[in-house]
Amino acid sequence: FFFKQKTAYEMQRGLVGSEMCIRDSFQKLNYLKMGCGVEVKHQEACAYVIKKYSQDNTYAETYYLADQMIGDLGAIEMGLLISTNKQLRELSLWNNDITAFGIRSITPSVIKSESLKKLFLGHNPIELEGVKDMAKILKENKVLITLELGFCDLGDDCISEPCEGLKENKTLKSLFLNNNQITDIGATELAEALHYNTTLLGLTLDDNQIGNLGAKQIANSVSYTHLTLPTILLVQISVVAVSQKKK
């Protein structure tokens, strides 16, 4: 017996079982979800499904596409979708094997979006080039309040660009950089950025490689700018820095 690999069109035509959930979810008005366990994992097929069942729905407020391995092809379609959906408020692309190329595909749309409030990109191999695009988003987007970049294997070399963006950003409330490879060097750069940013309310840094020096630098910046940062978590050194705004 020989098995022919199905094309994206054939896979779409043969949606059954859990795959039908994708179709039905894309047709909902306010919420789009491709949950765990969905059988369509092929990037081309995922990209096709995203395009097919989203082209007539520009009103969904939430896209939850975590753990689907949509890859860069799916990210390209998401970039187009973000640009046409004026109601989109939350987008999760967590753990989708999206590289810097895919990040670059969605960046222009995210920058121009006037509705997207929360963006989750954790557990993707975005590397330095992808982080540079994140910095552009921080500098130019005017509405984003949550950015999640945990589990992206980001080291100190990937922190400088976002820090520059953070200095200029006036809208972000929560930044997640947990479970990366940030050391005292990166923490010091973050601390400097916090001197300029007076709007950030939450910075999550647990499970990095930040020591006492980096923790002290961040704590000093938090105190200096009177930020409310109740959850700076430096778990490896058991440090929790807390500061409250002066009344």
Side-chain angles (χ1 to χ4, degrees):
F1 294 93
F2 295 91
F3 295 89
K4 181 175 73 72
Q5 183 178 7
K6 291 183 178 181
T7 64
Y9 177 76
E10 288 170 332
M11 294 184 77
Q12 184 273 333
R13 291 272 296 177
L15 290 178
V16 294
S18 61
E19 290 170 292
M20 291 181 66
C21 295
I22 302 176
R23 179 193 63 191
D24 295 337
S25 297
F26 271 82
Q27 290 177 335
K28 291 181 179 180
L29 203 60
N30 294 317
Y31 189 83
L32 177 156
K33 179 178 181 180
M34 292 174 68
C36 296
V38 174
E39 296 175 6
V40 177
K41 294 293 186 180
H42 192 281
Q43 290 189 15
E44 183 180 356
C46 285
Y48 181 90
V49 173
I50 290 171
K51 180 178 182 179
K52 177 65 176 178
Y53 292 104
S54 303
Q55 59 188 3
D56 297 324
N57 183 0
T58 58
Y59 300 98
E61 296 180 357
T62 301
Y63 291 134
Y64 182 84
L65 304 177
D67 300 304
Q68 294 309 307
M69 298 301 171
I70 67 173
D72 292 336
L73 290 177
I76 292 173
E77 294 298 339
M78 286 308 306
L80 296 173
L81 183 57
I82 295 169
S83 65
T84 57
N85 187 333
K86 307 303 181 182
Q87 308 297 322
L88 182 62
R89 296 178 59 84
E90 182 173 342
L91 173 61
S92 176
L93 295 175
W94 203 85
N95 191 26
N96 270 291
D97 199 29
I98 297 173
T99 70
F101 181 82
I103 294 298
R104 178 149 296 182
S105 299
I106 68 171
T107 295
S109 298
V110 172
I111 289 175
K112 294 178 182 179
S113 175
E114 297 180 356
S115 62
L116 185 62
K117 299 290 187 180
K118 299 180 179 181
L119 180 60
F120 300 88
L121 293 171
H123 220 302
N124 286 296
I126 63 176
E127 300 182 329
L128 179 58
E129 291 305 312
V131 170
K132 289 181 179 179
D133 283 314
M134 292 297 100
K136 292 180 182 178
I137 290 174
L138 288 173
K139 289 180 180 180
E140 301 180 36
N141 179 276
K142 306 300 181 183
V143 298
L144 195 69
I145 62 174
T146 298
L147 178 61
E148 190 270 330
L149 296 172
F151 295 91
C152 288
D153 198 29
L154 304 180
D156 295 330
D157 60 328
C158 296
I159 293 301
S160 297
E161 296 279 351
C163 283
E164 291 302 313
L166 199 59
K167 289 178 182 179
E168 300 182 24
N169 187 277
K170 303 299 181 183
T171 59
L172 198 71
K173 303 298 183 184
S174 299
L175 177 61
F176 294 85
L177 293 170
N178 55 288
N179 297 85
N180 283 297
Q181 305 297 323
I182 302 170
T183 71
D184 287 346
I185 297 174
T188 300
E189 293 195 66
L190 281 167
E192 181 183 353
L194 293 177
H195 275 279
Y196 297 89
N197 187 298
T198 59
T199 57
L200 193 68
L201 299 178
L203 174 61
T204 303
L205 290 168
D206 53 306
D207 290 319
N208 277 281
Q209 299 175 17
I210 301 173
N212 289 323
L213 176 61
K216 183 177 180 180
Q217 295 282 355
I218 291 177
N220 288 340
S221 288
V222 170
S223 177
Y224 175 80
T225 53
H226 310 302
L227 298 180
T228 300
L229 295 175
T231 55
I232 294 183
L233 306 174
L234 308 175
V235 174
Q236 288 188 350
I237 55 174
S238 300
V239 172
V240 178
V242 180
S243 175
Q244 298 293 333
K245 285 184 178 180
K246 292 184 178 180
K247 295 183 180 179

